[in-house]
Amino acid sequence: MDHAELVGGVLVDCPDPRASAGDLTRFMMATQLDRAAAIRAGLEPELVEVLRSRYANDRERIPALCQEAAAWVLGRRSIASAEPWELVASLPRTDVPEGLRRTTGETLIQLVVQATQTLRLAAPFIDQPGLSFLAEALAAATTRGVRLEILLPTRSTSADDAIDDLTTTISAEGRSTNFLVSRLREDAPWAHLKVLTSDSKAAYIGSANVTGAGIGGRNLELGVLVRGEPVMVVERVLDIYRSS
């Protein structure tokens, strides 16, 4: 995922992304974050802290990165979409076709950032590079009071180390009481679905596993960002086979 997309996820709901990018630059470079000032500027303090931690050793890059993120947000807004779904893809940057406005990594981050109540993630394959990409944003979500559930197939064995690392991150930076790992019933079909739902209102549904290759563009992946009532239907499907 491009760094501008990651930072842009913090600016995506700001009325004036360029002005907010200046505020974000100051907050990221300050010795200590003024959380009240960040809130007044319309920025989520927990998410600003995520960026401060990630770019602590690359401070010279921060001003340009924040402006690139603002440009990314404005570019996305310039492409209107009247559809209840949008195409999402993982693919090399040089291969991005005209009309594609969403990448997998950016879409997952946005769903996490915008959540206020629940996040539900289901994938048959999860590895450390993939989940670590989302880890700090997921931890920040639990701090905001968002309930995070990761739903694993009963026969999944590749996710253990990644889940352990996420648990450690949430223990240090988030709120462990808002994090739950669930499994499907023993008699459930093999769950090959890849889904992230946010507040039962928006969801990524696609081919990308939560792996470095799936999110980072080494694989070719296609999916959709869906909004509205169909998201609740997706969650009902998960609930049918979820172990009680």
Side-chain angles (χ1 to χ4, degrees):
M1 174 183 176
D2 189 272
H3 291 278
E5 295 176 2
L6 177 61
V7 179
V10 180
L11 300 174
V12 71
D13 292 323
C14 295
D16 186 344
R18 291 202 183 278
S20 296
D23 294 330
L24 181 58
T25 298
R26 291 192 293 275
F27 292 136
M28 288 177 66
M29 298 188 71
T31 303
Q32 185 173 357
L33 176 62
D34 185 336
R35 297 175 64 86
I39 292 172
R40 289 194 298 272
L43 299 171
E44 178 61 50
E46 286 81 7
L47 298 178
V48 177
E49 289 284 17
V50 169
L51 297 181
R52 282 167 56 86
S53 174
R54 176 160 292 204
Y55 297 104
N57 297 322
D58 199 9
R59 291 171 58 83
E60 293 183 359
R61 187 182 179 190
I62 289 173
L65 182 57
C66 289
Q67 289 303 317
E68 290 172 8
W72 172 82
V73 173
L74 291 170
R76 280 190 52 205
R77 292 180 182 178
S78 69
I79 306 174
S81 174
E83 300 293 335
W85 64 272
E86 296 178 67
L87 182 65
V88 179
S90 297
L91 70 176
R93 284 279 167 180
T94 55
D95 296 339
V96 176
E98 182 179 354
L100 178 65
R101 62 190 295 264
R102 288 189 176 276
T103 62
T104 304
E106 168 260 316
T107 299
L108 297 179
I109 285 287
Q110 183 186 352
L111 288 171
V112 173
V113 167
Q114 72 186 28
T116 60
Q117 299 177 5
T118 60
L119 287 164
R120 301 184 70 184
L121 174 64
F125 300 105
I126 298 174
D127 67 14
Q128 289 172 306
L131 196 55
S132 66
F133 177 81
L134 302 172
E136 292 172 339
L138 291 172
T142 64
T143 300
R144 299 195 305 274
V146 176
R147 185 176 184 272
L148 167 64
E149 179 183 20
I150 295 181
L151 184 61
L152 297 175
T154 56
R155 297 185 291 279
S156 176
T157 59
S158 62
D160 292 346
D161 290 341
I163 295 294
D164 287 345
D165 285 354
L166 177 62
T167 301
T168 299
T169 299
I170 292 177
S171 296
E173 303 176 18
R175 189 174 300 167
S176 298
T177 54
N178 288 330
F179 176 42
L180 172 68
V181 177
S182 300
R183 292 190 178 271
L184 296 178
R185 299 195 320 250
E186 290 289 341
D187 62 342
W190 169 244
H192 205 246
L193 74 173
K194 295 88 174 178
V195 172
L196 174 63
T197 68
S198 177
D199 291 342
S200 302
K201 296 178 181 177
Y204 166 81
I205 307 170
S207 66
N209 285 295
V210 185
T211 61
I215 294 176
R218 295 197 302 277
N219 290 355
L220 175 59
E221 309 282 3
L222 287 176
V224 291
L225 174 63
V226 182
R227 300 181 182 87
E229 187 173 343
V231 177
M232 297 184 67
V233 179
V234 171
E235 293 193 330
R236 292 184 193 122
V237 171
L238 297 177
D239 287 337
I240 289 174
Y241 296 106
R242 181 176 177 273
S243 178
S244 58

